[in-house]
Amino acid sequence: MQKVIQFLILRINFIIFLFFEILALILYFSNNPYQGAAFFNSSNAISASMMDFSSNTRHYIELQDVNDKLAKENAKLRFLLSSKIVQNDISNRIKNDTSTIKKFNYIPAKVINNSTDKYKNFITINKGSADSIAVGMGVVCFDGIVGKVKSCSKNYATITSVLHQDMLISSKLKRIGAIGALRWDGNNAQMAKLFYIPRHLEVKKGDTIVSSEHNSVFPEGEMVGRVTSINIKGDENFYTINVRLSTDFNKLSYVYVIKNKFKIEQDSLESLNNLGKNESK
Amino acid sequence: MKANDIVKTALSFMIFVIFHVLIVKYFVIGSVGLCFFYLGFLLTLSLSIPIPLLLLISFLVGFFVDLFYDTPGIHTFASVAIMFLRPKIITLLTPLGGYDEIDEITISSMGVRWFITYTLILLVFHTLIVFLMEASGFSYFHWTLSKVFCTTIFTTFMICSFQYLLFTPKS
């Protein structure tokens, strides 16, 4: 200990010098938007390309799994397509509104970074604004919902995962149509909680939960999860429902970013409504 | 450090730093030759000042100048760096017979040749740091180098002529 102190005293000038230089650098980086941006952008590009490399290696090992999944997805899509054709034959007199058919565009992307162990998890994908991805778009995978685009650079985008404590997802119980809000509680990457389902409704274990139509991020009916247990305390008005998420966040590899063509229209209309409400108050 | 020294230092600060931020700041030769005249204050600080205090002074002066240049941290960083180098450069430039008993660094006490060498070396470091940080990297490096060259020459010239103006060499 004495030696350490002696060592420090011998180099007191150098330590003070370092202290002042670090102070100056803090000033430099915190106050210069250009330098800050250049620094953080370049570091971002470096880290993103490094993550890309490592995920490429990992994906090579997971190829078998991914293949299986994609084959399953293909099969399901083929099935849907065939049933759609049949349906169209039956009801070809009812003209489908083309705008509703093409309301959502799906942009495939590869996950290059993902975490499930923090309270606020984010996912990075290898598509960005160059592939017409914008902030606020919903992200799903074959199994269910994944999250919402938080920010995007030219070639990469960050997604706020469903496993993020501030993320509320408007979801509904498919069987009875009741709408609630889904939130992750920060512990288990498989489980989340569904709130605001009123007490008079009958909720069963195993009920399917899908995304509701009350949002402009996800299409209605995207799979969210299944009910595992239902809790209600004495005089509360709402259930607290434990949900097993259908998406396995530990094994995410490919996701689809959803581009809602009418998002701006819907949002602006809704915000207008909210404005009207506030004024009338 | 005597009271007399403190007065001298304060006066020097007024002359070099205040004069710099108010007037000399706007002396620019062909957009490459700036004049970092305030360094005249840091370079002529008394040798009797302990190094930690020297670093603190250079930090404050750099910060003060940065406020006027709107470049937070750049001049601060460079000033602290050359103040840390200063004692090493002074030892490096020791003449054959060693230094006489001196505690102030002026042309009259050190001689013109010594003073110019000393100023040039530290100014190259300082301007190099400042312009590299301004360009935030090595892009436009030839431009940075020409700025370093012109600024160093111009500033040395200004500081030396001011020395002659203030302290007439002893005959």
Side-chain angles (χ1 to χ4, degrees):
Chain A
M1 193 62 206
Q2 214 167 9
K3 275 194 175 173
V4 174
I5 293 169
Q6 217 167 20
F7 177 87
L8 288 179
I9 286 172
L10 273 176
R11 280 157 187 78
I12 190 76
N13 290 339
F14 185 65
I15 290 161
I16 291 169
F17 162 69
L18 274 185
F19 170 70
F20 282 129
E21 293 293 61
I22 288 164
L23 265 184
L25 280 180
I26 290 168
L27 280 172
Y28 175 68
F29 281 116
S30 61
N31 287 313
N32 286 299
Y34 172 68
Q35 271 92 356
F39 180 77
F40 290 119
N41 271 344
S42 65
S43 79
N44 225 350
I46 292 164
S47 65
S49 54
M50 273 165 68
M51 286 189 300
D52 214 358
F53 174 74
S54 80
S55 87
N56 271 339
T57 335
R58 263 183 294 121
H59 274 269
Y60 191 74
I61 301 163
E62 287 171 5
L63 269 183
Q64 184 68 42
D65 257 5
V66 173
N67 253 348
D68 285 351
K69 245 184 184 173
L70 289 177
K72 259 186 213 163
E73 194 173 347
N74 257 343
K76 190 179 178 184
L77 288 175
R78 263 169 194 282
F79 170 72
L80 280 177
L81 193 67
S82 59
S83 63
K84 196 89 184 171
I85 290 165
V86 173
Q87 206 180 43
N88 270 355
D89 281 347
I90 296 166
S91 59
N92 58 3
R93 263 171 297 164
I94 308 161
K95 269 196 178 168
N96 275 322
D97 185 359
T98 46
S99 64
T100 52
I101 291 175
K102 289 182 180 171
K103 189 178 172 188
F104 295 105
N105 266 356
Y106 288 78
I107 306 161
K110 197 170 87 178
V111 173
I112 58 168
N113 188 38
N114 182 19
S115 69
T116 56
D117 52 351
K118 297 175 195 122
Y119 286 116
K120 294 178 176 178
N121 292 298
F122 296 99
I123 299 163
T124 314
I125 57 170
N126 69 342
K127 292 264 169 83
S129 54
D131 307 281
S132 75
I133 283 169
V135 174
M137 286 179 175
V139 182
V140 296
C141 69
F142 177 58
D143 296 322
I145 59 168
V146 172
K148 187 171 157 184
V149 177
K150 175 182 164 259
S151 63
C152 52
S153 61
K154 197 174 165 229
N155 295 314
Y156 299 96
T158 314
I159 296 161
T160 313
S161 167
V162 171
L163 308 183
H164 185 294
Q165 285 194 311
D166 302 337
M167 184 87 167
L168 279 170
I169 290 147
S170 171
S171 350
K172 70 174 178 187
L173 287 158
K174 201 176 177 185
R175 191 171 55 84
I176 49 180
I179 288 171
L182 183 101
R183 202 175 72 186
W184 187 54
D185 54 3
N187 298 324
N188 187 343
Q190 305 281 327
M191 304 298 287
K193 283 197 164 77
L194 182 68
F195 301 95
Y196 310 127
I197 299 292
R199 150 170 225 149
H200 65 270
L201 295 169
E202 196 191 341
V203 184
K204 282 182 190 160
K205 204 173 160 185
D207 277 356
T208 314
I209 295 165
V210 294
S211 62
S212 80
E213 63 273 33
H214 288 196
N215 69 73
S216 59
V217 179
F218 299 108
E220 186 194 347
E222 282 291 338
M223 187 69 183
V224 174
R226 277 178 198 285
V227 175
T228 54
S229 65
I230 306 135
N231 301 319
I232 190 153
K233 279 178 198 151
D235 52 351
E236 277 177 350
N237 290 327
F238 299 107
Y239 290 112
T240 305
I241 298 170
N242 286 323
V243 179
R244 176 172 288 278
L245 295 170
S246 57
T247 311
D248 188 351
F249 283 91
N250 289 315
K251 283 186 181 169
L252 273 186
S253 52
Y254 283 90
V255 295
Y256 300 98
V257 182
I258 301 167
K259 191 178 175 185
N260 182 351
K261 283 186 176 171
F262 303 114
K263 184 180 194 312
I264 296 167
E265 200 178 324
Q266 188 177 345
D267 281 351
S268 64
L269 200 63
E270 280 170 3
S271 67
L272 261 181
N273 281 343
N274 289 337
L275 216 67
K277 261 185 221 163
N278 289 342
E279 275 168 6
S280 64
K281 271 176 199 168
Chain B
M1 216 176 151
K2 287 166 270 174
N4 191 22
D5 281 350
I6 294 171
V7 174
K8 248 188 196 169
T9 313
L11 204 70
S12 166
F13 176 82
M14 294 291 277
I15 291 167
F16 282 107
V17 182
I18 303 292
F19 190 48
H20 171 86
V21 295
L22 295 181
I23 299 163
V24 186
K25 195 189 132 188
Y26 302 105
F27 292 5
V28 180
I29 298 175
S31 82
V32 286
L34 282 84
C35 184
F36 294 155
F37 190 61
Y38 72 95
L39 290 175
F41 167 67
L42 293 181
L43 294 180
T44 55
L45 276 175
S46 170
L47 282 172
S48 59
I49 300 174
I51 290 173
L53 186 59
L54 218 58
L55 292 173
L56 178 65
I57 291 172
S58 64
F59 180 81
L60 293 178
V61 168
F63 186 71
F64 183 74
V65 173
D66 268 338
L67 290 180
F68 288 85
Y69 272 104
D70 228 343
T71 53
I74 294 180
H75 285 269
T76 319
F77 188 89
S79 303
V80 175
I82 60 158
M83 266 305 110
F84 186 68
L85 283 178
R86 193 179 89 143
K88 292 170 176 56
I89 301 292
I90 290 175
T91 352
L92 205 76
L93 291 174
T94 315
L96 271 178
Y99 289 116
D100 301 333
E101 286 265 322
I102 41 129
D103 63 355
E104 57 175 2
I105 298 174
T106 55
I107 288 184
S108 50
S109 63
M110 296 303 217
V112 184
R113 206 195 271 173
W114 187 93
F115 189 81
I116 288 180
T117 327
Y118 162 74
T119 313
L120 276 178
I121 292 171
L122 287 178
L123 271 176
V124 166
F125 275 112
H126 185 271
T127 48
L128 197 63
I129 292 169
V130 166
F131 292 126
L132 280 180
M133 282 176 91
E134 251 175 24
S136 66
F138 289 90
S139 45
Y140 311 113
F141 191 59
H142 58 287
W143 188 248
T144 306
L145 277 187
S146 63
K147 266 186 158 179
V148 167
F149 181 72
C150 295
T151 307
T152 305
I153 303 287
F154 185 31
T155 310
T156 311
F157 172 75
M158 287 291 284
I159 290 173
C160 291
S161 34
F162 226 77
Q163 284 270 319
Y164 270 111
L165 214 71
L166 284 181
F167 317 101
T168 340
K170 290 162 201 160
S171 52

